[in-house]
Amino acid sequence: MLGYDILETVRASFENRSGLLQFCILASVWLSWRILKFTIIPRFYPQDPKEVPYWIPYFGHAYGFLSHPHRLLTYGRQYIAGPNREPFVITTLGVKSYILTNPKDVGEAYRNTESLSFDIYLQATMRTLGSTESVVKRMYTPLSDTKSGFPNPQNKCLALLSRDIHIHQLFPGENLKILGTKLSGWFDKHLVADVIAEERSYTALRGNDVVIPLMKFCSDMTTSAGQEAFFGKKLGQREPNLVRDFLEFDDISWQLLLQYPPMFCRDMLAAKDKICHALQRHFDVPMEERASEDTFFVRTMETEMRQLGLNSEDISILMMTVYWGLNTNIRRTVFWVLAHVIYTPGLAEKLREETKQAFSNDGTLDFAYLSNNCELMDSIWHETLRTAASAASIRFLTRDTDLNGKLLRKGNRVMIPFRQLHYDKGAFGDDAHEFKADRFLKNPSLNRSPSLRYFGGGSTMCPGRHMAKQFITIFVSVALHRFDLELEGPQPFPLAQEESPSLGVMASMGPDLMVRLKPRKLDI
Ligand code: HEM
């Protein structure tokens, strides 16, 4: 009744009164809403995390979140969360997210697999990518423990079993070694000045040197190598534009992550479709003709999915997420590592010295040595991810949950933005905002800090982390041993693209960094 009366008053005043009066009425309705929502109601619910106030109902902080998420979250942490970093709330387009920036809350959230669900988010992403309801249902239906194929003693559904299959492929062991051998073989062949200039039309030979746009080059090289190592050579031969289409998609793929309405992300969806169609043509080729080239993971997942009755189109949509996860962060991490090496005097030489034992005279590369025995490389790896990772873990609340005394209500999201933790001076010191190549070398225990979360946490912690490190250390070491890397003319250190929400590691902003690769006399 009250709502109706207010509306009636507003309507009547619009008809009868002057514009000023209409404005005053609207302003007082709006002011009452704001005082009620952000001042009065919170007093009755002290256990609920405080909300960052906004001006426009429903839209909330949509603009701030899309235009500069880090700035918005920093504001919330500083002015709403307070010194104890209590959880706070941000609303965007009617969706309420609890933001966690205290490592204790974060640890507890990652441990809570009962009421904080990752799978609801994954299912929504599957639907946005084009999976039908029937495919989502089949992927989430528990399977028998006596089924053929990959062992399933806990009756998991295939969506959950795929984590075990990932681990089998990507954790240290025989399958990871196979990937390492394929990757080092690929870089051995393609990371050569003449070959680069011949194969990559956007590079230019200058005498014996080759000039490259660094971000484009790292993206193209690592995606091509990753694709071939995981899916075999024939995929690239059959689909020569796949890498280009993927990079086009990946630059705007955060629109998918935020589940934009289709009319606002047509370019991203078109690029996504091209990738799926290319993968579909690949999976249409009889399995026996591809099996020797596919990794254990691809072979096993395809077999499992076919057993569920999925066709090549269904499989291509699900494998597209694998292709995406495999390639999206590696290319950006390699870029930032090389950019820091180029801009830090003496760093390249120290890395060459440290890694030279991994190279043998017969041309083989001991990639396990690179991952496990090179402390400076290890420190740069952690520091690059600490400073450049800007994604967030996202969970859905399936019931009301107490988190260290605060009540998080069912139906909303929990978000753990990594940068708010990685730039915490309490955890990493007053220079936390700076890149220090030897930070983790001087203080190795930092890599166990609960504030270091670039791979997420809990049962969904990135299963690709060992492979990612192996991949990146191979690429960086081979590049440094083959070339001196110099800036092609003075250029400022690239800025990170903080404005767009990110899936992991931030891209760089502005013109690409032009770098000259000068072949070195091989010392190995
Ligand atoms: C520097 C490189 C990488 C970074 C920074 C990274 C980061 C992440 C993050 C933050 C998550 C979400 C974890 C969570 O919210 O709990 C994740 C999940 C995942 N990542 Fe990575 N990742 C990287 C490389 C890779 C690679 C190379 C692969 C595969 C070859 C991969 C496969 C996956 C998969 C399959 C998941 C989902 C896990 C699940 O559903 O349980 N990642 N990654």
Side-chain angles (χ1 to χ4, degrees), residues 110 118 122 163 166 170 230 325-326 329-330 333 381 385 393 395 418 454-457 459-464 467-468 505:
Y110 279 134
F118 187 51
L122 285 185
R163 282 179 196 154
H166 262 120
L170 300 170
F230 237 68
L326 163 70
N329 285 314
I330 300 262
T333 312
W381 154 255
L385 286 173
S393 285
R395 304 287 186 263
F418 303 154
Y454 41 74
F455 286 124
S459 61
T460 61
M461 185 190 247
C462 174
M467 189 222 166
V505 176

Side-chain angles (χ1 to χ4, degrees), residues 147-165:
K147 72 167 192 61
S148 61
F150 195 80
N152 187 25
Q154 291 169 308
N155 294 93
K156 290 181 182 173
C157 60
L158 186 53
L160 293 188
L161 195 61
S162 77
R163 282 179 196 154
D164 300 359
I165 303 175

Side-chain angles (χ1 to χ4, degrees), residues 78-301:
Q78 288 176 338
Y79 297 104
I80 308 294
N84 293 334
R85 294 179 160 243
E86 289 187 354
F88 61 94
V89 175
I90 285 198
T91 296
T92 47
L93 302 178
V95 177
K96 194 165 156 179
S97 301
Y98 295 104
I99 313 294
L100 309 186
T101 63
N102 180 323
K104 192 169 162 223
D105 292 338
V106 169
E108 192 165 323
Y110 279 134
R111 281 189 294 277
N112 182 343
T113 48
E114 292 279 298
S115 61
L116 293 179
S117 161
F118 187 51
D119 290 309
I120 294 179
Y121 179 69
L122 285 185
Q123 287 170 17
T125 308
M126 280 167 74
R127 289 184 187 103
T128 318
L129 281 169
S131 288
T132 60
E133 221 34 66
S134 140
V135 168
V136 177
K137 196 167 164 218
R138 274 182 273 177
M139 288 296 290
Y140 277 89
T141 303
L143 300 171
S144 152
D145 55 354
T146 55
K147 72 167 192 61
S148 61
F150 195 80
N152 187 25
Q154 291 169 308
N155 294 93
K156 290 181 182 173
C157 60
L158 186 53
L160 293 188
L161 195 61
S162 77
R163 282 179 196 154
D164 300 359
I165 303 175
H166 262 120
I167 287 173
H168 221 72
Q169 173 68 61
L170 300 170
F171 270 35
E174 210 38 52
N175 286 326
L176 184 62
K177 218 162 148 188
I178 294 172
L179 277 179
T181 309
K182 286 187 181 183
L183 288 170
S184 53
W186 196 93
F187 288 122
D188 185 42
K189 190 165 153 211
H190 295 270
L191 210 44
V192 176
D194 297 350
V195 180
I196 293 170
E198 195 188 315
E199 291 181 346
R200 327 255 149 216
S201 58
Y202 52 86
T203 63
L205 260 187
R206 302 263 191 277
N208 290 332
D209 305 348
V210 56
V211 177
I212 55 155
L214 189 65
M215 184 72 209
K216 191 170 175 146
F217 179 72
C218 293
S219 301
D220 181 13
M221 292 292 277
T222 59
T223 308
S224 304
Q227 171 186 298
E228 190 168 312
F230 237 68
F231 295 93
K233 201 180 269 195
K234 287 194 186 127
L235 175 58
Q237 287 167 347
R238 200 176 300 116
E239 305 294 338
N241 296 329
L242 181 54
V243 170
R244 190 202 60 199
D245 293 337
F246 168 74
L247 296 174
E248 205 177 291
F249 160 80
D250 196 34
D251 281 340
I252 43 176
S253 60
W254 50 269
Q255 297 174 351
L256 198 144
L257 185 84
L258 295 182
Q259 291 163 2
Y260 264 36
M263 62 185 295
F264 294 123
C265 55
R266 291 209 174 100
D267 290 349
M268 181 274 289
L269 290 175
K272 185 255 326 169
D273 285 343
K274 282 191 213 164
I275 303 168
C276 289
H277 292 149
L279 289 174
Q280 185 178 342
R281 288 188 287 271
H282 180 69
F283 287 105
D284 271 339
V285 174
M287 214 177 153
E288 319 74 73
E289 289 178 30
R290 296 176 276 114
S292 61
E293 285 210 329
D294 286 341
T295 53
F296 162 84
F297 175 84
V298 174
R299 278 195 313 274
T300 311
M301 272 308 284

